[in-house]
Amino acid sequence: MIRQVRLSDLDRCYEIEKIAYDGSEAATREKIEKRIQCYPQGFFVYETEGLVVGLINSASADHIEMANDDIKELVGHHDNGKHMVIMSLAVHPGYQRKGYGRQLLNFFIEHARNLGKESIYLMCQRYLIPFYSGFGFVSQGVSESNHGDLTWHEMQLQLF
């Protein structure tokens, strides 16, 4: 079941984030808490048998500059922004390969459409480009961001 995040999910979301992402690319507990408190309508979890096993969270803004990591701190965010930025899509490794990530992303895309958003942006590692392309995201090339000292690829999905 996919549902909107609750503050009581904070510790589990942080645990999943830490396990699913390498080192410094994972969001801190404080960042996750801020995302829950400031934009819960852009943060969803996948729950099965009473346990949160995956998450997707975002920000919303009128102007998106992916190489600028300020959006990860919700700088420039406002609920009614034209564009959404996915900051994390993560599934606990023990629950991967069951389609939960795909379900979360499909749900999120439909949610963004229902909100009247124009597009969705994200950054991913090169090996994930085919995954996101399967949902209609188009590669925008290598990002200038070096978040976590990694090479990122920017992708965008036009909704309207």
Side-chain angles (χ1 to χ4, degrees):
M1 164 181 83
I2 297 173
R3 62 169 173 80
Q4 190 170 317
V5 72
R6 296 180 212 130
L7 193 53
S8 60
D9 298 321
L10 173 61
D11 289 333
R12 181 64 176 169
C13 287
Y14 176 58
E15 178 185 345
I16 292 169
E17 181 89 9
K18 272 192 333 188
I19 293 170
Y21 289 101
D22 295 327
S24 61
E25 69 177 304
T28 63
R29 186 179 187 282
E30 293 75 23
K31 283 182 184 177
I32 293 171
E33 182 175 16
K34 185 173 184 178
R35 293 172 190 174
I36 292 171
Q37 291 178 334
C38 292
Y39 196 46
Q41 61 270 41
F43 197 141
F44 300 93
V45 296
Y46 195 105
E47 184 177 8
T48 183
E49 298 177 5
L51 181 67
V52 171
V53 298
L55 61 93
I56 188 166
N57 60 60
S58 66
S60 179
D62 284 327
H63 176 74
I64 304 296
E65 187 179 325
M66 293 300 293
N68 184 343
D69 285 342
D70 285 351
I71 196 69
K72 293 187 180 298
E73 303 287 339
L74 299 180
V75 173
H77 163 82
H78 66 93
D79 293 0
N80 297 320
K82 296 182 222 172
H83 313 284
M84 294 184 90
V85 177
I86 295 174
M87 294 187 279
S88 295
L89 170 58
V91 175
H92 189 283
Y95 294 87
Q96 292 177 356
R97 305 270 183 230
K98 298 179 186 294
Y100 298 148
R102 288 184 179 282
Q103 290 178 55
L104 277 165
L105 190 53
N106 277 325
F107 178 91
F108 185 85
I109 292 168
E110 189 60 29
H111 176 68
R113 279 192 177 106
N114 290 338
L115 290 175
K117 304 295 182 182
E118 293 178 13
S119 62
I120 302 172
Y121 291 80
L122 61 84
M123 288 194 310
C124 67
Q125 297 296 295
R126 182 179 184 166
Y127 74 93
L128 287 169
I129 291 174
F131 172 77
Y132 290 110
S133 294
F135 292 87
F137 283 85
V138 176
S139 177
Q140 306 295 301
V142 175
S143 179
E144 292 181 21
S145 173
N146 67 347
H147 177 71
D149 293 323
L150 297 168
T151 300
W152 295 96
H153 296 264
E154 295 181 9
M155 300 196 77
Q156 180 184 17
L157 174 65
Q158 284 297 132
L159 298 172
F160 297 103

